[in-house]
Amino acid sequence: MIERDQFEKVLIDHVLAGVVLVDAETLKVEKINPAARAMLGLQEDQAIEDLCQKFFCSSNDGLCPLKDLGITVDNAECELQRADGRRIHVQKSVQRVKIQGKEKYVECFVDISSHKNIH
């Protein structure tokens, strides 16, 4: 039987949606799954320990929509900036969770750029 930790790692590593774990206090990226790295054109170690605004909230002038602006991000459309400077359209949700007593943000997103370009 597969252990819970193994199941969660397999699930996060193989889901087609981008998944990012951010420390709610420092706003630094702690984990980023392969789908998120691929959508954003990042190498495996890129983005870890960077402020989440660098890639995930780059249009908010350094403000965190959740922490600083009090905005709920649930099934919202927005743009993210790839490492090469191009922007992609995503459908995104962010949930605040507590892991081992520490507040985190779990950000999930799906690239919808191809849907946005069809008129």
Side-chain angles (χ1 to χ4, degrees):
M1 179 182 296
I2 189 167
E3 297 293 322
R4 180 183 173 133
D5 290 347
Q6 291 173 316
F7 172 74
E8 290 169 357
K9 179 169 178 21
V10 167
L11 181 65
I12 297 301
D13 285 351
H14 291 87
V15 69
L16 297 178
V19 180
V20 179
L21 182 67
V22 176
D23 182 279
E25 184 178 329
T26 65
L27 301 178
K28 288 187 176 182
V29 175
E30 293 185 347
K31 304 264 187 210
I32 181 169
N33 78 336
R37 286 194 306 268
M39 279 185 251
L40 296 171
L42 300 172
Q43 299 299 316
E44 188 162 344
D45 59 347
Q46 280 184 294
I48 301 297
E49 292 297 314
D50 277 338
L51 289 176
C52 58
Q53 288 104 335
K54 183 173 181 179
F55 296 105
F56 306 107
C57 294
S58 55
S59 64
N60 288 312
D61 298 321
L63 297 175
C64 174
L66 297 124
K67 186 175 180 180
D68 301 324
L69 304 175
I71 296 172
T72 299
V73 180
D74 184 23
N75 206 26
E77 284 188 28
C78 63
E79 287 186 338
L80 300 181
Q81 184 166 326
R82 291 178 38 90
D84 62 10
R86 290 186 305 139
R87 299 187 71 77
I88 60 171
H89 294 275
V90 297
Q91 191 82 30
K92 155 174 147 170
S93 78
V94 183
Q95 298 295 318
R96 191 175 186 121
V97 298
K98 201 174 252 192
I99 300 174
Q100 297 178 340
K102 296 192 177 200
E103 297 287 327
K104 310 287 182 183
Y105 295 125
V106 176
E107 183 165 334
C108 301
F109 53 92
V110 177
D111 187 346
I112 59 169
S113 297
S114 62
H115 301 293
K116 298 298 279 186
N117 293 330
I118 298 173
H119 298 288

